[in-house]
């Protein structure tokens, strides 16, 4: 028997659940609205005009998005952060005259902490780091979804392509990007109580830092992997091979996971109410390389970055990961 939520629940908790549901259901609502509009023939000219603009003319995903600050500032996102709750821990100041590349770890199932921290003002990022304008980078495929694309563009999301990243980092002081480094592969290892990172093979963001001179900022989210239960699959299983095929074709994949529902706690797509502590580390300043970076330069900076991530873990693990089942591991 599933454990149902009490009928008498503080109104504030209902608002928190609504806030998370708003984000979780954004793709489904956007697609439903689009196909609903398509059922009216007299709206087809508008639909065709919209799709033509999206597919042929709108370059916002490659040009820093279309940030709408009042959307990022909505009280809704404060409720979103309070649902878990999420806490932002700042280890050092960031100079607003510089540009930064935030590396967010781990990916988790849906990177809830990354969106709350960098896609909204739910944790007051702009007040904590004045003058820093982060863009949360995501897959280009997300910008092919009607209406949803406009929703995430308004929250400051942009394409994670190389051209887009370089454009944002060269758009003036304070302009910064956020990359969830582990990507879809890391999501398959997002078991509660663990922190397995896909980092050894990730050199693209390291090269980006060297080419642009953007400082690297390691960001570690304690508790991100605790928000969902994951059903592990053996690497030799058909399910795992299917997940890898989906990732190869679409650029993303999702593990088999379970959260909670709106009115019961055992099954569903909503994340569990588990605390998440997002630690933004001190910046690693990078000297710009005029020519193509050498392999030695890439691996030297990567080692420095990995050491910084491990140092954050060691400083905070006993406080923010007291219930861990194993230590942080870099598995790929």
């Amino acid at each position: 028997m599933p454990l149902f939520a009490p009928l008498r629940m503080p109104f504030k908790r209902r608002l928190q659940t609504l806030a998370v549901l708003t984000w979780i259901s954004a793709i489904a609502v956007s697609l439903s609205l689009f196909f609903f509009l398509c059922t009216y023939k007299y709206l087809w000219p508008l639909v065709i005009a919209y799709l033509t603009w999206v597919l042929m003319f709108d370059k916002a995903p490659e040009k820093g998005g279309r940030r709408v600050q009042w959307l990022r500032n909505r009280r809704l996102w404060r409720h979103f952060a309070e649902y878990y709750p999420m806490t932002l821990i700042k280890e050092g100041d960031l100079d607003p005259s510089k540009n930064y590349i935030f590396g967010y770890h781990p990916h988790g199932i849906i990177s809830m902490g990354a969106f709350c921290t960098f896609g909204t003002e739910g944790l007051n990022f702009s007040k904590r780091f004045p003058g820093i304008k982060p863009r949360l980078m995501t897959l280009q495929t997300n910008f092919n979804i009607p209406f949803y694309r406009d929703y995430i563009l308004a929250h400051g999301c942009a394409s994670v392509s190389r051209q887009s990243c370089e454009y944002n980092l060269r758009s003036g002081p304070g302009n910064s990007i956020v990359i969830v480094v582990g990507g879809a592969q890391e999501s398959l290892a997002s078991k509660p109580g663990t922190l397995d990172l896909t980092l050894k093979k990730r050199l693209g963001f390291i090269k980006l830092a060297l080419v642009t001179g953007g400082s690297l900022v390691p960001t570690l989210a304690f508790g991100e992997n605790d928000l969902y239960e994951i059903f592990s699959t053996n690497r030799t299983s058909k399910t795992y091979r299917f997940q890898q095929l989906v990732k190869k074709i679409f650029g993303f994949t999702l593990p088999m996971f379970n959260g909670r529902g709106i009115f019961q706690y055992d099954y569903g797509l909503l994340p569990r109410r588990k605390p998440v502590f997002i630690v933004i580390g001190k910046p690693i300043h990078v000297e710009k390389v005029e020519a193509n970076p050498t392999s030695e330069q890439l691996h030297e900076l990567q080692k420095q970055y990995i050491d910084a991530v491990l140092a954050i873990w060691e400083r905070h693990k006993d406080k923010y990961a007291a219930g861990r089942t194993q230590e942080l591991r870099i598995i790929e």
Side-chain angles (χ1 to χ4, degrees):
M1 286 289 292
L3 179 61
F4 287 91
L7 291 177
R8 298 196 175 197
M9 184 72 70
F11 183 63
K12 187 175 183 179
R13 286 177 67 89
R14 296 297 188 198
L15 288 176
Q16 293 166 1
T17 302
L18 176 62
V20 175
L21 181 63
T22 299
W23 175 238
I24 290 290
S25 62
I27 292 179
V29 170
S30 298
L31 286 174
S32 298
L33 176 60
F34 175 76
F35 288 119
F36 174 75
L37 294 177
C38 288
T39 62
Y40 292 91
K41 288 186 177 181
Y42 64 86
L43 292 178
W44 286 2
L46 290 177
V47 171
I48 292 171
Y50 172 75
L51 291 177
T52 301
W53 174 68
V54 166
L55 297 174
M56 299 182 64
F57 299 105
D58 187 20
K59 304 302 181 184
E62 298 286 333
K63 302 292 183 182
R66 277 192 293 269
R67 288 167 61 110
V68 180
Q69 198 59 37
W70 72 265
L71 279 177
R72 291 169 54 88
N73 287 336
R74 288 170 64 197
R75 177 62 190 169
L76 177 77
W77 304 124
R78 307 288 194 279
H79 294 309
F80 183 98
E82 292 165 357
Y83 171 91
Y84 303 90
M86 288 183 177
T87 306
L88 177 61
I89 295 94
K90 171 183 174 180
E91 288 200 327
D93 293 326
L94 299 180
D95 184 351
S97 68
K98 297 182 181 295
N99 306 101
Y100 298 93
I101 301 171
F102 294 83
Y104 184 89
H105 315 273
H107 185 284
I109 300 298
I110 318 179
S111 302
M112 294 293 191
F115 175 73
C116 185
T117 306
F118 301 105
T120 79
E121 290 297 330
L123 295 175
N124 294 314
F125 180 90
S126 294
K127 292 180 180 178
R128 302 291 299 277
F129 297 97
I132 307 299
K133 299 178 283 293
R135 262 75 175 183
L136 180 57
M137 315 307 277
T138 186
L139 294 174
Q140 178 62 36
T141 51
N142 285 316
F143 300 103
N144 296 332
I145 303 173
F147 301 146
Y148 177 72
R149 68 184 306 277
D150 304 291
Y151 185 66
I152 60 176
L153 283 170
H155 285 88
C157 295
S159 171
V160 76
S161 70
R162 179 180 60 82
Q163 295 87 345
S164 173
C165 291
E166 290 185 2
Y167 175 87
N168 282 282
L169 291 170
R170 291 169 173 162
S171 295
N175 282 291
S176 304
I177 64 173
V178 184
I179 299 176
V180 184
V181 177
Q185 187 63 35
E186 192 173 84
S187 69
L188 298 175
S190 53
K191 302 175 187 175
T194 71
L195 197 54
D196 290 342
L197 304 184
T198 299
L199 191 50
K200 292 177 183 177
K201 297 180 179 179
R202 300 297 196 249
L203 287 171
F205 77 108
I206 299 293
K207 182 177 181 180
L208 184 65
L210 288 167
V211 168
T212 63
S215 299
L216 291 167
V217 184
T219 303
L220 200 59
F222 293 81
E224 178 78 52
N225 283 349
D226 297 334
L227 302 181
Y228 290 94
E229 295 289 336
I230 182 174
F231 301 100
S232 300
T233 54
N234 190 290
R235 286 176 175 262
T236 60
S237 69
K238 291 182 179 180
T239 301
Y240 183 82
R241 289 199 295 270
F242 175 74
Q243 290 171 329
Q244 293 301 310
L245 177 62
V246 171
K247 183 167 75 74
K248 184 176 180 180
I249 296 174
F250 297 104
F252 68 91
T253 190
L254 278 178
M256 298 173 63
F257 67 92
N258 180 45
R260 54 157 288 182
I262 300 174
F263 301 111
Q264 50 79 29
Y265 298 137
D266 294 330
Y267 311 102
L269 298 179
L270 290 181
R272 303 188 187 280
R273 286 181 180 263
K274 300 282 187 179
V276 180
F277 301 93
I278 298 102
V279 180
I280 297 182
K282 296 179 181 179
I284 301 169
H285 296 297
V286 180
E287 291 295 328
K288 183 177 179 180
V289 175
E290 297 301 330
N292 284 330
T294 65
S295 177
E296 181 180 333
Q297 289 172 319
L298 289 170
H299 286 93
E300 181 182 344
L301 183 55
Q302 184 192 48
K303 181 181 183 305
Q304 190 178 352
Y305 181 85
I306 290 175
D307 288 345
V309 171
L310 295 174
I312 293 175
W313 169 258
E314 291 297 329
R315 283 195 295 272
H316 299 284
K317 65 180 182 180
D318 290 332
K319 184 175 182 180
Y320 301 137
R324 63 189 182 277
T325 57
Q326 66 179 45
E327 298 297 305
L328 182 152
R329 300 187 305 176
I330 299 177
I331 56 176
E332 290 188 67

